[in-house]
Amino acid sequence: MENLIEYLDESLIPLEQKVKEYLHIERDIRLLEVELLSLQSIKPDYDPEQQNLEQRIAAGQPSSTFNDKEQKMVELLEQYKQLQKEVIDLLPEKNKFVELNLGYGPSQVGYFTTDPETHAPLDEPVLRVVH
């Protein structure tokens, strides 16, 4: 970082707020995943080989077959994908980190279609947040 306070630029505030929302939803998804796995494992008929929630969602099963927590997960995943798209749209450049202030010093966010080290194309583009 050439300018040590570059990440305090006020024009980055909308991006910072979206990244904070994105990280908050990501945290909520992880907590709910743990809760769902814990609840599944205490069922007497629990089968670890059974399709997981993401497979059921991808298969297009109707939402009426989901319990409340599974429905919440579906909603969180939809919000997560939407926020990911919004963060990507707010980034000034692709394949480069942008420095932000997420409340505890400089952090970085970037959307990469190529590997930053090898410059080889990635199979699937990745949004990276370093905080």
Side-chain angles (χ1 to χ4, degrees):
M1 183 163 54
E2 293 175 13
N3 183 352
L4 295 178
I5 60 169
E6 183 178 301
Y7 71 96
L8 297 174
D9 183 357
E10 288 186 14
S11 68
L12 296 174
I13 290 175
L15 177 59
E16 290 169 6
Q17 291 172 337
K18 281 295 175 198
V19 171
K20 287 177 185 178
E21 285 180 59
Y22 174 81
L23 292 173
H24 182 75
I25 292 290
E26 184 177 64
R27 185 186 126 268
D28 289 349
I29 288 171
R30 287 183 180 158
L31 292 173
L32 189 54
E33 280 178 334
V34 170
E35 189 175 349
L36 284 168
L37 289 172
S38 297
L39 289 173
Q40 286 177 354
S41 67
I42 61 173
K43 287 182 181 178
D45 62 344
Y46 174 66
D47 179 9
E49 299 299 318
Q50 184 181 27
Q51 282 188 334
N52 69 22
L53 178 62
E54 287 183 22
Q55 289 172 332
R56 289 172 46 204
I57 294 168
Q61 286 188 345
S63 60
S64 62
T65 63
F66 298 141
N67 66 34
D68 292 342
K69 293 193 184 307
E70 290 172 331
Q71 187 61 40
K72 179 68 175 172
M73 178 63 83
V74 170
E75 293 166 9
L76 285 174
L77 289 172
E78 288 173 4
Q79 287 177 345
Y80 183 74
K81 288 178 185 174
Q82 180 62 35
L83 282 170
Q84 184 178 35
K85 182 184 178 322
E86 290 174 17
V87 168
I88 291 167
D89 290 344
L90 287 172
L91 287 169
E93 293 182 57
K94 307 292 188 251
N95 296 313
K96 183 178 178 182
F97 277 113
V98 174
E99 294 183 352
L100 305 171
N101 179 15
L102 296 179
Y104 36 81
S107 300
Q108 297 178 331
V109 63
Y111 181 69
F112 295 90
T113 56
T114 59
D115 186 296
E117 295 175 6
T118 65
H119 302 289
L122 296 171
D123 295 336
E124 186 175 311
V126 177
L127 177 65
R128 294 185 178 143
V129 180
V130 181
H131 58 102

